[in-house]
Amino acid sequence: MVKIPAGAVVANLGYGVSASAGAITVNVGDGNDTSAYAAAIVLSATQVNAIATFRGHGRSYSAEDTIDFVVTALSAVPGTVDLYLKVDYTNMN
């Protein structure tokens, strides 16, 4: 969902959903660990305030990667839904 360059250190990220009904359960991670930042997070009712860090610290990337959502469960899914992801990182290169 969000490309991370080689040499980046991800400090934190925020995520949310635009759905006004139902719930979506997601993992937030990268190519090495699909739940590195969050596991089994339930997003509902236009929630956009969740913040995650990698085990309370930054996570460094020696190679380019992506931060991704993996949808694990859907409940009363509306016709359309937008998932939001905000990543704060510093490029150390």
Side-chain angles (χ1 to χ4, degrees), residues 3-13 29-33 36-37 53-67 87-93:
K3 190 179 284 188
I4 303 298
V9 176
V10 173
N12 60 59
L13 51 91
D30 57 31
N32 294 317
D33 182 352
Y37 294 97
T53 61
F54 179 70
R55 298 183 181 122
H57 306 286
R59 181 171 177 131
S60 62
Y61 289 85
S62 59
E64 185 177 283
D65 205 337
T66 57
I67 306 293
V87 179
D88 293 326
Y89 69 86
T90 302
N91 192 339
M92 304 305 281
N93 285 337

PDB file of all heavy atoms in Angstrom, residues 3-13 29-33 36-37 53-67 87-93:
ATOM      1  N   LYS A   3       4.921   2.389  -0.402  1.00  0.00           N
ATOM      2  CA  LYS A   3       6.288   1.966  -0.707  1.00  0.00           C
ATOM      3  C   LYS A   3       7.247   2.621   0.272  1.00  0.00           C
ATOM      4  O   LYS A   3       7.173   3.813   0.534  1.00  0.00           O
ATOM      5  CB  LYS A   3       6.650   2.358  -2.131  1.00  0.00           C
ATOM      6  CG  LYS A   3       7.956   1.754  -2.604  1.00  0.00           C
ATOM      7  CD  LYS A   3       8.270   2.151  -4.021  1.00  0.00           C
ATOM      8  CE  LYS A   3       7.398   1.352  -4.947  1.00  0.00           C
ATOM      9  NZ  LYS A   3       7.771   1.535  -6.368  1.00  0.00           N
ATOM     10  N   ILE A   4       8.172   1.810   0.810  1.00  0.00           N
ATOM     11  CA  ILE A   4       9.194   2.274   1.752  1.00  0.00           C
ATOM     12  C   ILE A   4      10.551   2.086   1.080  1.00  0.00           C
ATOM     13  O   ILE A   4      10.883   0.990   0.659  1.00  0.00           O
ATOM     14  CB  ILE A   4       9.129   1.464   3.076  1.00  0.00           C
ATOM     15  CG1 ILE A   4       7.748   1.550   3.701  1.00  0.00           C
ATOM     16  CG2 ILE A   4      10.208   1.931   4.037  1.00  0.00           C
ATOM     17  CD1 ILE A   4       7.312   2.940   4.085  1.00  0.00           C
ATOM     18  N   PRO A   5      11.350   3.149   0.984  1.00  0.00           N
ATOM     19  CA  PRO A   5      12.648   3.026   0.309  1.00  0.00           C
ATOM     20  C   PRO A   5      13.694   2.333   1.173  1.00  0.00           C
ATOM     21  O   PRO A   5      13.591   2.315   2.406  1.00  0.00           O
ATOM     22  CB  PRO A   5      13.041   4.483   0.061  1.00  0.00           C
ATOM     23  CG  PRO A   5      12.364   5.248   1.138  1.00  0.00           C
ATOM     24  CD  PRO A   5      11.074   4.528   1.416  1.00  0.00           C
ATOM     25  N   ALA A   6      14.707   1.786   0.518  1.00  0.00           N
ATOM     26  CA  ALA A   6      15.846   1.221   1.240  1.00  0.00           C
ATOM     27  C   ALA A   6      16.483   2.326   2.068  1.00  0.00           C
ATOM     28  O   ALA A   6      16.594   3.458   1.617  1.00  0.00           O
ATOM     29  CB  ALA A   6      16.858   0.641   0.256  1.00  0.00           C
ATOM     30  N   GLY A   7      16.854   2.015   3.295  1.00  0.00           N
ATOM     31  CA  GLY A   7      17.469   2.996   4.182  1.00  0.00           C
ATOM     32  C   GLY A   7      16.481   3.734   5.071  1.00  0.00           C
ATOM     33  O   GLY A   7      16.873   4.552   5.883  1.00  0.00           O
ATOM     34  N   ALA A   8      15.205   3.448   4.928  1.00  0.00           N
ATOM     35  CA  ALA A   8      14.189   4.126   5.734  1.00  0.00           C
ATOM     36  C   ALA A   8      14.071   3.494   7.119  1.00  0.00           C
ATOM     37  O   ALA A   8      14.297   2.299   7.298  1.00  0.00           O
ATOM     38  CB  ALA A   8      12.840   4.068   5.045  1.00  0.00           C
ATOM     39  N   VAL A   9      13.727   4.345   8.090  1.00  0.00           N
ATOM     40  CA  VAL A   9      13.377   3.876   9.431  1.00  0.00           C
ATOM     41  C   VAL A   9      11.959   4.372   9.692  1.00  0.00           C
ATOM     42  O   VAL A   9      11.709   5.576   9.749  1.00  0.00           O
ATOM     43  CB  VAL A   9      14.341   4.422  10.501  1.00  0.00           C
ATOM     44  CG1 VAL A   9      13.880   3.996  11.893  1.00  0.00           C
ATOM     45  CG2 VAL A   9      15.753   3.947  10.237  1.00  0.00           C
ATOM     46  N   VAL A  10      11.025   3.427   9.807  1.00  0.00           N
ATOM     47  CA  VAL A  10       9.623   3.766  10.045  1.00  0.00           C
ATOM     48  C   VAL A  10       9.442   4.040  11.532  1.00  0.00           C
ATOM     49  O   VAL A  10       9.720   3.184  12.368  1.00  0.00           O
ATOM     50  CB  VAL A  10       8.684   2.632   9.580  1.00  0.00           C
ATOM     51  CG1 VAL A  10       7.248   2.913   9.984  1.00  0.00           C
ATOM     52  CG2 VAL A  10       8.795   2.452   8.077  1.00  0.00           C
ATOM     53  N   ALA A  11       8.990   5.246  11.859  1.00  0.00           N
ATOM     54  CA  ALA A  11       8.795   5.645  13.253  1.00  0.00           C
ATOM     55  C   ALA A  11       7.420   5.215  13.764  1.00  0.00           C
ATOM     56  O   ALA A  11       7.307   4.655  14.847  1.00  0.00           O
ATOM     57  CB  ALA A  11       8.950   7.151  13.396  1.00  0.00           C
ATOM     58  N   ASN A  12       6.375   5.509  13.002  1.00  0.00           N
ATOM     59  CA  ASN A  12       5.025   5.089  13.392  1.00  0.00           C
ATOM     60  C   ASN A  12       4.116   5.191  12.191  1.00  0.00           C
ATOM     61  O   ASN A  12       4.494   5.714  11.156  1.00  0.00           O
ATOM     62  CB  ASN A  12       4.495   5.903  14.572  1.00  0.00           C
ATOM     63  CG  ASN A  12       4.421   7.375  14.267  1.00  0.00           C
ATOM     64  OD1 ASN A  12       3.745   7.793  13.337  1.00  0.00           O
ATOM     65  ND2 ASN A  12       5.138   8.178  15.029  1.00  0.00           N
ATOM     66  N   LEU A  13       2.927   4.663  12.337  1.00  0.00           N
ATOM     67  CA  LEU A  13       1.941   4.755  11.276  1.00  0.00           C
ATOM     68  C   LEU A  13       0.544   4.840  11.859  1.00  0.00           C
ATOM     69  O   LEU A  13       0.298   4.436  12.979  1.00  0.00           O
ATOM     70  CB  LEU A  13       2.076   3.601  10.279  1.00  0.00           C
ATOM     71  CG  LEU A  13       2.126   2.176  10.827  1.00  0.00           C
ATOM     72  CD1 LEU A  13       0.729   1.590  10.903  1.00  0.00           C
ATOM     73  CD2 LEU A  13       3.011   1.336   9.947  1.00  0.00           C
ATOM     74  N   GLY A  29       1.431  -4.894   8.163  1.00  0.00           N
ATOM     75  CA  GLY A  29       2.809  -5.357   8.196  1.00  0.00           C
ATOM     76  C   GLY A  29       3.539  -5.046   6.913  1.00  0.00           C
ATOM     77  O   GLY A  29       3.174  -4.128   6.187  1.00  0.00           O
ATOM     78  N   ASP A  30       4.559  -5.867   6.625  1.00  0.00           N
ATOM     79  CA  ASP A  30       5.355  -5.679   5.418  1.00  0.00           C
ATOM     80  C   ASP A  30       5.631  -7.029   4.789  1.00  0.00           C
ATOM     81  O   ASP A  30       5.049  -8.034   5.195  1.00  0.00           O
ATOM     82  CB  ASP A  30       6.637  -4.905   5.732  1.00  0.00           C
ATOM     83  CG  ASP A  30       7.489  -5.561   6.804  1.00  0.00           C
ATOM     84  OD1 ASP A  30       7.478  -6.806   6.929  1.00  0.00           O
ATOM     85  OD2 ASP A  30       8.194  -4.831   7.517  1.00  0.00           O
ATOM     86  N   GLY A  31       6.539  -7.051   3.801  1.00  0.00           N
ATOM     87  CA  GLY A  31       6.833  -8.288   3.096  1.00  0.00           C
ATOM     88  C   GLY A  31       7.472  -9.365   3.952  1.00  0.00           C
ATOM     89  O   GLY A  31       7.369 -10.545   3.648  1.00  0.00           O
ATOM     90  N   ASN A  32       8.124  -8.994   5.037  1.00  0.00           N
ATOM     91  CA  ASN A  32       8.767  -9.959   5.925  1.00  0.00           C
ATOM     92  C   ASN A  32       7.862 -10.464   7.028  1.00  0.00           C
ATOM     93  O   ASN A  32       8.037 -11.562   7.527  1.00  0.00           O
ATOM     94  CB  ASN A  32      10.029  -9.344   6.555  1.00  0.00           C
ATOM     95  CG  ASN A  32      11.087  -9.064   5.532  1.00  0.00           C
ATOM     96  OD1 ASN A  32      11.348  -9.880   4.654  1.00  0.00           O
ATOM     97  ND2 ASN A  32      11.694  -7.892   5.606  1.00  0.00           N
ATOM     98  N   ASP A  33       6.907  -9.652   7.445  1.00  0.00           N
ATOM     99  CA  ASP A  33       6.026  -9.999   8.560  1.00  0.00           C
ATOM    100  C   ASP A  33       4.695  -9.275   8.354  1.00  0.00           C
ATOM    101  O   ASP A  33       4.608  -8.063   8.551  1.00  0.00           O
ATOM    102  CB  ASP A  33       6.672  -9.582   9.878  1.00  0.00           C
ATOM    103  CG  ASP A  33       5.854  -9.950  11.106  1.00  0.00           C
ATOM    104  OD1 ASP A  33       4.699 -10.396  10.957  1.00  0.00           O
ATOM    105  OD2 ASP A  33       6.379  -9.785  12.223  1.00  0.00           O
ATOM    106  N   ALA A  36       3.617  -7.152  11.406  1.00  0.00           N
ATOM    107  CA  ALA A  36       4.720  -6.522  12.138  1.00  0.00           C
ATOM    108  C   ALA A  36       4.264  -5.331  12.961  1.00  0.00           C
ATOM    109  O   ALA A  36       4.771  -5.079  14.048  1.00  0.00           O
ATOM    110  CB  ALA A  36       5.818  -6.091  11.178  1.00  0.00           C
ATOM    111  N   TYR A  37       3.303  -4.572  12.463  1.00  0.00           N
ATOM    112  CA  TYR A  37       2.865  -3.358  13.139  1.00  0.00           C
ATOM    113  C   TYR A  37       1.574  -3.553  13.932  1.00  0.00           C
ATOM    114  O   TYR A  37       1.386  -2.907  14.960  1.00  0.00           O
ATOM    115  CB  TYR A  37       2.694  -2.223  12.135  1.00  0.00           C
ATOM    116  CG  TYR A  37       4.000  -1.797  11.520  1.00  0.00           C
ATOM    117  CD1 TYR A  37       4.390  -2.278  10.282  1.00  0.00           C
ATOM    118  CD2 TYR A  37       4.857  -0.941  12.191  1.00  0.00           C
ATOM    119  CE1 TYR A  37       5.597  -1.908   9.716  1.00  0.00           C
ATOM    120  CE2 TYR A  37       6.067  -0.564  11.641  1.00  0.00           C
ATOM    121  CZ  TYR A  37       6.430  -1.055  10.403  1.00  0.00           C
ATOM    122  OH  TYR A  37       7.644  -0.684   9.855  1.00  0.00           O
ATOM    123  N   THR A  53       3.399   1.167  16.243  1.00  0.00           N
ATOM    124  CA  THR A  53       4.851   1.230  16.086  1.00  0.00           C
ATOM    125  C   THR A  53       5.351  -0.201  16.034  1.00  0.00           C
ATOM    126  O   THR A  53       4.641  -1.136  16.385  1.00  0.00           O
ATOM    127  CB  THR A  53       5.533   1.959  17.261  1.00  0.00           C
ATOM    128  OG1 THR A  53       5.244   1.246  18.456  1.00  0.00           O
ATOM    129  CG2 THR A  53       5.058   3.382  17.381  1.00  0.00           C
ATOM    130  N   PHE A  54       6.570  -0.387  15.609  1.00  0.00           N
ATOM    131  CA  PHE A  54       7.150  -1.716  15.569  1.00  0.00           C
ATOM    132  C   PHE A  54       7.753  -2.021  16.931  1.00  0.00           C
ATOM    133  O   PHE A  54       8.821  -1.513  17.266  1.00  0.00           O
ATOM    134  CB  PHE A  54       8.212  -1.821  14.474  1.00  0.00           C
ATOM    135  CG  PHE A  54       8.864  -3.163  14.399  1.00  0.00           C
ATOM    136  CD1 PHE A  54       8.153  -4.260  13.951  1.00  0.00           C
ATOM    137  CD2 PHE A  54      10.178  -3.336  14.773  1.00  0.00           C
ATOM    138  CE1 PHE A  54       8.737  -5.507  13.886  1.00  0.00           C
ATOM    139  CE2 PHE A  54      10.781  -4.566  14.714  1.00  0.00           C
ATOM    140  CZ  PHE A  54      10.054  -5.659  14.265  1.00  0.00           C
ATOM    141  N   ARG A  55       7.033  -2.777  17.732  1.00  0.00           N
ATOM    142  CA  ARG A  55       7.485  -3.175  19.073  1.00  0.00           C
ATOM    143  C   ARG A  55       7.963  -1.987  19.894  1.00  0.00           C
ATOM    144  O   ARG A  55       8.938  -2.061  20.629  1.00  0.00           O
ATOM    145  CB  ARG A  55       8.560  -4.245  18.960  1.00  0.00           C
ATOM    146  CG  ARG A  55       8.042  -5.493  18.293  1.00  0.00           C
ATOM    147  CD  ARG A  55       9.072  -6.595  18.233  1.00  0.00           C
ATOM    148  NE  ARG A  55       8.488  -7.730  17.557  1.00  0.00           N
ATOM    149  CZ  ARG A  55       8.977  -8.283  16.472  1.00  0.00           C
ATOM    150  NH1 ARG A  55      10.095  -7.818  15.941  1.00  0.00           N
ATOM    151  NH2 ARG A  55       8.381  -9.304  15.918  1.00  0.00           N
ATOM    152  N   GLY A  56       7.284  -0.843  19.715  1.00  0.00           N
ATOM    153  CA  GLY A  56       7.614   0.348  20.483  1.00  0.00           C
ATOM    154  C   GLY A  56       8.818   1.117  19.982  1.00  0.00           C
ATOM    155  O   GLY A  56       9.213   2.115  20.568  1.00  0.00           O
ATOM    156  N   HIS A  57       9.438   0.648  18.904  1.00  0.00           N
ATOM    157  CA  HIS A  57      10.630   1.287  18.352  1.00  0.00           C
ATOM    158  C   HIS A  57      10.448   1.465  16.851  1.00  0.00           C
ATOM    159  O   HIS A  57       9.517   0.967  16.258  1.00  0.00           O
ATOM    160  CB  HIS A  57      11.875   0.424  18.599  1.00  0.00           C
ATOM    161  CG  HIS A  57      12.062   0.069  20.031  1.00  0.00           C
ATOM    162  ND1 HIS A  57      12.509   0.970  20.967  1.00  0.00           N
ATOM    163  CD2 HIS A  57      11.850  -1.073  20.702  1.00  0.00           C
ATOM    164  CE1 HIS A  57      12.566   0.385  22.153  1.00  0.00           C
ATOM    165  NE2 HIS A  57      12.168  -0.856  22.011  1.00  0.00           N
ATOM    166  N   GLY A  58      11.379   2.133  16.213  1.00  0.00           N
ATOM    167  CA  GLY A  58      11.363   2.233  14.757  1.00  0.00           C
ATOM    168  C   GLY A  58      11.787   0.925  14.118  1.00  0.00           C
ATOM    169  O   GLY A  58      12.424   0.083  14.751  1.00  0.00           O
ATOM    170  N   ARG A  59      11.380   0.738  12.884  1.00  0.00           N
ATOM    171  CA  ARG A  59      11.791  -0.460  12.130  1.00  0.00           C
ATOM    172  C   ARG A  59      12.577   0.012  10.922  1.00  0.00           C
ATOM    173  O   ARG A  59      12.099   0.840  10.149  1.00  0.00           O
ATOM    174  CB  ARG A  59      10.576  -1.264  11.707  1.00  0.00           C
ATOM    175  CG  ARG A  59      10.934  -2.525  10.949  1.00  0.00           C
ATOM    176  CD  ARG A  59       9.715  -3.393  10.733  1.00  0.00           C
ATOM    177  NE  ARG A  59      10.048  -4.557   9.947  1.00  0.00           N
ATOM    178  CZ  ARG A  59       9.708  -5.791  10.263  1.00  0.00           C
ATOM    179  NH1 ARG A  59       9.009  -6.021  11.355  1.00  0.00           N
ATOM    180  NH2 ARG A  59      10.027  -6.796   9.492  1.00  0.00           N
ATOM    181  N   SER A  60      13.793  -0.508  10.752  1.00  0.00           N
ATOM    182  CA  SER A  60      14.629  -0.077   9.637  1.00  0.00           C
ATOM    183  C   SER A  60      14.513  -1.063   8.479  1.00  0.00           C
ATOM    184  O   SER A  60      14.283  -2.254   8.672  1.00  0.00           O
ATOM    185  CB  SER A  60      16.088   0.052  10.075  1.00  0.00           C
ATOM    186  OG  SER A  60      16.577  -1.188  10.506  1.00  0.00           O
ATOM    187  N   TYR A  61      14.693  -0.523   7.275  1.00  0.00           N
ATOM    188  CA  TYR A  61      14.593  -1.303   6.049  1.00  0.00           C
ATOM    189  C   TYR A  61      15.882  -1.161   5.257  1.00  0.00           C
ATOM    190  O   TYR A  61      16.236  -0.068   4.828  1.00  0.00           O
ATOM    191  CB  TYR A  61      13.399  -0.826   5.207  1.00  0.00           C
ATOM    192  CG  TYR A  61      12.081  -1.203   5.825  1.00  0.00           C
ATOM    193  CD1 TYR A  61      11.490  -0.408   6.803  1.00  0.00           C
ATOM    194  CD2 TYR A  61      11.445  -2.375   5.465  1.00  0.00           C
ATOM    195  CE1 TYR A  61      10.302  -0.763   7.394  1.00  0.00           C
ATOM    196  CE2 TYR A  61      10.239  -2.748   6.053  1.00  0.00           C
ATOM    197  CZ  TYR A  61       9.678  -1.938   7.009  1.00  0.00           C
ATOM    198  OH  TYR A  61       8.496  -2.300   7.600  1.00  0.00           O
ATOM    199  N   SER A  62      16.587  -2.275   5.050  1.00  0.00           N
ATOM    200  CA  SER A  62      17.819  -2.251   4.264  1.00  0.00           C
ATOM    201  C   SER A  62      17.515  -2.382   2.774  1.00  0.00           C
ATOM    202  O   SER A  62      18.348  -2.053   1.936  1.00  0.00           O
ATOM    203  CB  SER A  62      18.757  -3.368   4.710  1.00  0.00           C
ATOM    204  OG  SER A  62      18.125  -4.623   4.562  1.00  0.00           O
ATOM    205  N   ALA A  63      16.316  -2.851   2.445  1.00  0.00           N
ATOM    206  CA  ALA A  63      15.884  -2.975   1.055  1.00  0.00           C
ATOM    207  C   ALA A  63      14.492  -2.371   0.922  1.00  0.00           C
ATOM    208  O   ALA A  63      13.741  -2.287   1.902  1.00  0.00           O
ATOM    209  CB  ALA A  63      15.855  -4.439   0.637  1.00  0.00           C
ATOM    210  N   GLU A  64      14.143  -1.952  -0.280  1.00  0.00           N
ATOM    211  CA  GLU A  64      12.811  -1.405  -0.534  1.00  0.00           C
ATOM    212  C   GLU A  64      11.739  -2.425  -0.170  1.00  0.00           C
ATOM    213  O   GLU A  64      11.910  -3.621  -0.381  1.00  0.00           O
ATOM    214  CB  GLU A  64      12.697  -1.032  -2.016  1.00  0.00           C
ATOM    215  CG  GLU A  64      11.406  -0.342  -2.370  1.00  0.00           C
ATOM    216  CD  GLU A  64      11.367   0.071  -3.823  1.00  0.00           C
ATOM    217  OE1 GLU A  64      12.007   1.078  -4.157  1.00  0.00           O
ATOM    218  OE2 GLU A  64      10.702  -0.631  -4.608  1.00  0.00           O
ATOM    219  N   ASP A  65      10.645  -1.954   0.389  1.00  0.00           N
ATOM    220  CA  ASP A  65       9.549  -2.839   0.811  1.00  0.00           C
ATOM    221  C   ASP A  65       8.257  -2.040   0.734  1.00  0.00           C
ATOM    222  O   ASP A  65       8.256  -0.890   0.287  1.00  0.00           O
ATOM    223  CB  ASP A  65       9.796  -3.339   2.237  1.00  0.00           C
ATOM    224  CG  ASP A  65       9.099  -4.666   2.534  1.00  0.00           C
ATOM    225  OD1 ASP A  65       8.105  -4.991   1.859  1.00  0.00           O
ATOM    226  OD2 ASP A  65       9.535  -5.365   3.457  1.00  0.00           O
ATOM    227  N   THR A  66       7.160  -2.623   1.160  1.00  0.00           N
ATOM    228  CA  THR A  66       5.881  -1.922   1.259  1.00  0.00           C
ATOM    229  C   THR A  66       5.255  -2.214   2.608  1.00  0.00           C
ATOM    230  O   THR A  66       5.461  -3.285   3.181  1.00  0.00           O
ATOM    231  CB  THR A  66       4.891  -2.341   0.155  1.00  0.00           C
ATOM    232  OG1 THR A  66       4.686  -3.752   0.214  1.00  0.00           O
ATOM    233  CG2 THR A  66       5.376  -1.942  -1.219  1.00  0.00           C
ATOM    234  N   ILE A  67       4.492  -1.249   3.118  1.00  0.00           N
ATOM    235  CA  ILE A  67       3.656  -1.470   4.300  1.00  0.00           C
ATOM    236  C   ILE A  67       2.281  -1.801   3.749  1.00  0.00           C
ATOM    237  O   ILE A  67       1.755  -1.097   2.882  1.00  0.00           O
ATOM    238  CB  ILE A  67       3.579  -0.208   5.185  1.00  0.00           C
ATOM    239  CG1 ILE A  67       4.975   0.302   5.546  1.00  0.00           C
ATOM    240  CG2 ILE A  67       2.735  -0.489   6.420  1.00  0.00           C
ATOM    241  CD1 ILE A  67       5.785  -0.593   6.432  1.00  0.00           C
ATOM    242  N   VAL A  87       2.209   6.717   6.937  1.00  0.00           N
ATOM    243  CA  VAL A  87       3.482   6.192   7.432  1.00  0.00           C
ATOM    244  C   VAL A  87       4.450   7.347   7.647  1.00  0.00           C
ATOM    245  O   VAL A  87       4.682   8.140   6.738  1.00  0.00           O
ATOM    246  CB  VAL A  87       4.090   5.177   6.440  1.00  0.00           C
ATOM    247  CG1 VAL A  87       5.419   4.658   6.957  1.00  0.00           C
ATOM    248  CG2 VAL A  87       3.113   4.033   6.178  1.00  0.00           C
ATOM    249  N   ASP A  88       5.005   7.445   8.851  1.00  0.00           N
ATOM    250  CA  ASP A  88       6.040   8.427   9.167  1.00  0.00           C
ATOM    251  C   ASP A  88       7.388   7.695   9.178  1.00  0.00           C
ATOM    252  O   ASP A  88       7.567   6.769   9.963  1.00  0.00           O
ATOM    253  CB  ASP A  88       5.812   9.066  10.531  1.00  0.00           C
ATOM    254  CG  ASP A  88       4.567   9.924  10.568  1.00  0.00           C
ATOM    255  OD1 ASP A  88       4.246  10.550   9.547  1.00  0.00           O
ATOM    256  OD2 ASP A  88       3.927   9.978  11.631  1.00  0.00           O
ATOM    257  N   TYR A  89       8.280   8.113   8.288  1.00  0.00           N
ATOM    258  CA  TYR A  89       9.606   7.485   8.266  1.00  0.00           C
ATOM    259  C   TYR A  89      10.676   8.525   7.950  1.00  0.00           C
ATOM    260  O   TYR A  89      10.383   9.596   7.419  1.00  0.00           O
ATOM    261  CB  TYR A  89       9.670   6.323   7.278  1.00  0.00           C
ATOM    262  CG  TYR A  89       9.600   6.699   5.818  1.00  0.00           C
ATOM    263  CD1 TYR A  89      10.748   7.054   5.116  1.00  0.00           C
ATOM    264  CD2 TYR A  89       8.399   6.654   5.124  1.00  0.00           C
ATOM    265  CE1 TYR A  89      10.693   7.393   3.776  1.00  0.00           C
ATOM    266  CE2 TYR A  89       8.321   6.982   3.785  1.00  0.00           C
ATOM    267  CZ  TYR A  89       9.476   7.343   3.115  1.00  0.00           C
ATOM    268  OH  TYR A  89       9.414   7.664   1.779  1.00  0.00           O
ATOM    269  N   THR A  90      11.893   8.174   8.289  1.00  0.00           N
ATOM    270  CA  THR A  90      13.057   8.976   7.963  1.00  0.00           C
ATOM    271  C   THR A  90      13.929   8.164   7.021  1.00  0.00           C
ATOM    272  O   THR A  90      14.199   6.990   7.290  1.00  0.00           O
ATOM    273  CB  THR A  90      13.863   9.311   9.236  1.00  0.00           C
ATOM    274  OG1 THR A  90      13.020  10.001  10.138  1.00  0.00           O
ATOM    275  CG2 THR A  90      15.075  10.154   8.899  1.00  0.00           C
ATOM    276  N   ASN A  91      14.358   8.769   5.915  1.00  0.00           N
ATOM    277  CA  ASN A  91      15.252   8.086   4.987  1.00  0.00           C
ATOM    278  C   ASN A  91      16.681   8.377   5.424  1.00  0.00           C
ATOM    279  O   ASN A  91      17.134   9.512   5.367  1.00  0.00           O
ATOM    280  CB  ASN A  91      14.998   8.542   3.557  1.00  0.00           C
ATOM    281  CG  ASN A  91      15.686   7.649   2.557  1.00  0.00           C
ATOM    282  OD1 ASN A  91      16.632   6.949   2.878  1.00  0.00           O
ATOM    283  ND2 ASN A  91      15.218   7.681   1.326  1.00  0.00           N
ATOM    284  N   MET A  92      17.387   7.354   5.845  1.00  0.00           N
ATOM    285  CA  MET A  92      18.747   7.513   6.361  1.00  0.00           C
ATOM    286  C   MET A  92      19.816   7.504   5.282  1.00  0.00           C
ATOM    287  O   MET A  92      20.999   7.628   5.575  1.00  0.00           O
ATOM    288  CB  MET A  92      19.039   6.406   7.384  1.00  0.00           C
ATOM    289  CG  MET A  92      18.027   6.349   8.530  1.00  0.00           C
ATOM    290  SD  MET A  92      17.835   7.885   9.418  1.00  0.00           S
ATOM    291  CE  MET A  92      19.279   7.843  10.444  1.00  0.00           C
ATOM    292  N   ASN A  93      19.418   7.347   4.004  1.00  0.00           N
ATOM    293  CA  ASN A  93      20.394   7.381   2.895  1.00  0.00           C
ATOM    294  C   ASN A  93      20.712   8.787   2.506  1.00  0.00           C
ATOM    295  O   ASN A  93      19.994   9.680   2.553  1.00  0.00           O
ATOM    296  CB  ASN A  93      19.872   6.621   1.679  1.00  0.00           C
ATOM    297  CG  ASN A  93      19.958   5.135   1.903  1.00  0.00           C
ATOM    298  OD1 ASN A  93      20.732   4.647   2.701  1.00  0.00           O
ATOM    299  ND2 ASN A  93      19.131   4.395   1.181  1.00  0.00           N
TER     300      ASN A  93
END
